[in-house]
């Protein structure tokens, strides 16, 4: 059984998370990105899929997706228009995580978060609305 050890913690699960955000081209200094899709999968310590989560998120600041964003992400305006706002989606994701065995308390956390970086200046704190 493969387990990743981080200090004194052994990860029983891996939470692989992918976020899509609003975007514009060419880049603009005053453009604020917002998360428009949350995708995640929980893997057990044998790297077997436990569960998947996927929801679109309704942007608040730039409610209309740019043509560039529509083409890049393949997310439609209708997808985000009928979606919940970030706090609602995040709440459902936390519930999903707990229901699938993830412990969210920092000292007892039993999973490792795996995500990719973003090269166009996307910043998580400014995108969490």
């Amino acid at each position: 059984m493969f387990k990743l050890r981080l200090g004194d913690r052994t990860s029983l699960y891996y939470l692989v998370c992918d976020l899509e955000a609003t975007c514009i081209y060419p880049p603009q200094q005053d453009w604020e990105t917002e998360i428009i899709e949350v995708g995640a999968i929980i893997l057990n310590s044998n790297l077997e899929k436990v569960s998947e989560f996927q929801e679109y998120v309704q942007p608040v600041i730039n409610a209309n997706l740019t043509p560039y964003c529509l083409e890049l992400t393949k997310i439609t305006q209708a997808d985000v228009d009928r979606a919940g706002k970030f706090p609602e989606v995040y709440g459902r994701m936390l519930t999903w995580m707990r229901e699938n065995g993830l412990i969210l308390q920092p000292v007892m956390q039993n999973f490792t978060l795996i995500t990719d970086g973003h090269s166009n200046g996307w910043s998580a704190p400014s995108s969490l609305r």
Side-chain angles (χ1 to χ4, degrees):
M1 177 183 298
F2 173 77
K3 290 186 181 171
L4 178 66
R5 288 201 45 84
L6 299 172
D8 292 333
R9 190 179 88 220
T10 299
S11 290
L12 298 178
Y13 298 100
Y14 301 94
L15 175 63
V16 182
C17 191
D18 180 47
L19 304 174
E20 297 296 337
T22 56
C23 47
I24 192 166
Y25 190 84
Q28 297 178 6
Q29 187 124 20
D30 61 344
W31 179 265
E32 288 196 50
T33 59
E34 298 173 81
I35 294 171
I36 55 174
E37 183 180 20
V38 177
I41 185 169
I42 297 171
L43 303 174
N44 65 21
S45 59
N46 293 319
L47 304 181
E48 299 164 331
K49 181 175 76 170
V50 174
S51 185
E52 291 181 53
F53 179 90
Q54 185 278 328
E55 282 200 38
Y56 296 110
V57 179
Q58 187 178 92
V60 176
I61 295 172
N62 296 299
N64 293 318
L65 301 181
T66 65
Y68 174 73
C69 189
L70 293 166
E71 177 64 27
L72 181 68
T73 65
K74 306 299 186 221
I75 296 171
T76 68
Q77 187 66 48
D79 290 333
V80 296
D81 285 348
R82 62 178 165 253
K85 294 191 173 36
F86 183 79
E88 301 163 33
V89 174
Y90 182 62
R92 287 191 290 272
M93 183 176 178
L94 292 177
T95 298
W96 167 79
M97 291 167 66
R98 287 184 195 101
E99 288 174 348
N100 284 284
L102 274 59
I103 299 173
L104 306 180
Q105 290 82 10
V107 176
M108 300 174 61
Q109 183 177 322
N110 64 346
F111 67 95
T112 298
L113 174 66
I114 301 170
T115 188
D116 64 344
H118 207 283
S119 61
N120 71 353
W122 181 83
S123 168
S126 68
S127 299
L128 304 178
R129 304 233 184 267

